[in-house]
Amino acid sequence: MEEAVMRPVTLIRNEEISPRVHLISWRREDDFLPGQVVKLALGEGETPRIYSLCSGNREEEMAVLFNVREEGSLTPRMAALRPGDRLYVSAPYGTFLGDEAPAWWIASGTGIAPFYSMFRSGLGSHHLLVHGVRYLNQFYFGEELQREMGSRYVRCCSREGDGEVFQGRLTAWLQQQASFPSGTRYYLCGNPLMVVEARDILIAGGVPWGDIVAEIYF
């Protein structure tokens, strides 16, 4: 595989949208398809990390969403960036692509990023979004998604409840479904354990292997 060409961009914004979770953005210079990723680094020659784009493909800015990992070599430094600082970014690439066909988007944590990009790119009309988190303040972009998607936006929270969300893991919500619609693609994005468990539930429920598309976040 060819080494990605990294080019410098100037950070426009860095917002902590939830404790230890940041959304950063820079001016869009590339066309991209909703669901694609970019590589990011803070210096020339540094080993880059891969992040899903978390913005619409016609917006003026490109954005990524990330958790700050204390042991990480990149995220603590990215969290400290200020507007005007330099970031190195690759061209967008990847095959975890959304389209207008009916689909379920199934995400845990910051795995919502590519689905938010798809939503912001106008692909939410025939889609069900299932988002699983531990705490209520981790439903990133939740107010907007609830307003625009209504009952097609399902929130699952494993450690807190407010009377409106499904209290439990998203895999528990999947297990409670009587059936899964045919002619639908099932996109999975999040931590490896969720992806494997959700895929097994879907297959046991009769979903063909070829209708499941997975992207794993570490």
Side-chain angles (χ1 to χ4, degrees):
M1 182 176 178
E2 275 188 30
E3 186 175 346
V5 175
M6 308 292 290
R7 67 174 186 273
V9 298
T10 300
L11 196 73
I12 293 175
R13 68 186 75 247
N14 180 357
E15 180 183 2
E16 187 175 22
I17 65 170
S18 186
R20 311 298 289 169
V21 176
H22 286 246
L23 184 72
I24 62 173
S25 65
W26 59 94
R27 186 170 65 86
R28 181 169 68 85
E29 297 179 354
D30 297 290
D31 292 330
F32 69 93
L33 299 173
Q36 287 190 310
V37 302
V38 291
K39 291 183 177 181
L40 298 181
L42 291 186
E44 292 184 276
E46 288 191 9
T47 300
R49 298 290 186 266
I50 300 171
Y51 294 90
S52 291
L53 288 164
C54 187
S55 47
N57 64 350
R58 293 182 294 274
E59 295 177 0
E60 293 183 358
E61 297 178 16
M62 299 174 79
V64 298
L65 180 72
F66 64 91
N67 281 309
V68 179
R69 301 188 181 279
E70 295 295 345
E71 73 283 3
S73 62
L74 179 60
T75 57
R77 292 187 296 146
M78 283 207 305
L81 292 174
R82 296 181 178 181
D85 286 344
R86 179 173 290 183
L87 183 69
Y88 287 83
V89 182
S90 74
Y93 69 98
T95 59
F96 189 76
L97 305 178
D99 57 31
E100 295 182 353
W104 284 25
W105 296 335
I106 302 169
S108 63
T110 55
I112 195 159
F115 302 130
Y116 187 64
S117 175
M118 296 174 192
F119 164 78
R120 294 286 295 183
S121 300
L123 300 180
S125 298
H126 303 98
H127 300 71
L128 177 76
L129 171 58
V130 185
H131 190 196
V133 301
R134 293 180 178 180
Y135 300 102
L136 294 171
N137 63 5
Q138 295 173 329
F139 288 116
Y140 318 123
F141 322 113
E143 291 185 6
E144 178 186 4
L145 292 167
Q146 193 165 27
R147 182 177 64 250
E148 298 297 328
M149 298 188 73
S151 62
R152 292 181 291 108
Y153 173 48
V154 178
R155 296 176 297 157
C156 305
C157 191
S158 61
R159 297 190 180 178
E160 290 184 316
D162 65 358
E164 296 183 1
V165 304
F166 175 84
Q167 192 162 2
R169 298 172 62 202
L170 71 82
T171 48
W173 184 87
L174 289 173
Q175 287 174 324
Q176 292 187 14
Q177 303 314 297
S179 62
F180 299 106
S182 59
T184 298
R185 298 196 83 186
Y186 295 82
Y187 290 80
L188 307 174
C189 187
N191 69 71
L193 180 60
M194 182 283 288
V195 169
V196 171
E197 290 184 359
R199 184 176 60 199
D200 289 346
I201 293 167
L202 293 171
I203 290 172
V207 176
W209 177 274
D211 287 344
I212 302 172
V213 186
E215 183 105 314
I216 292 176
Y217 271 37
F218 291 96

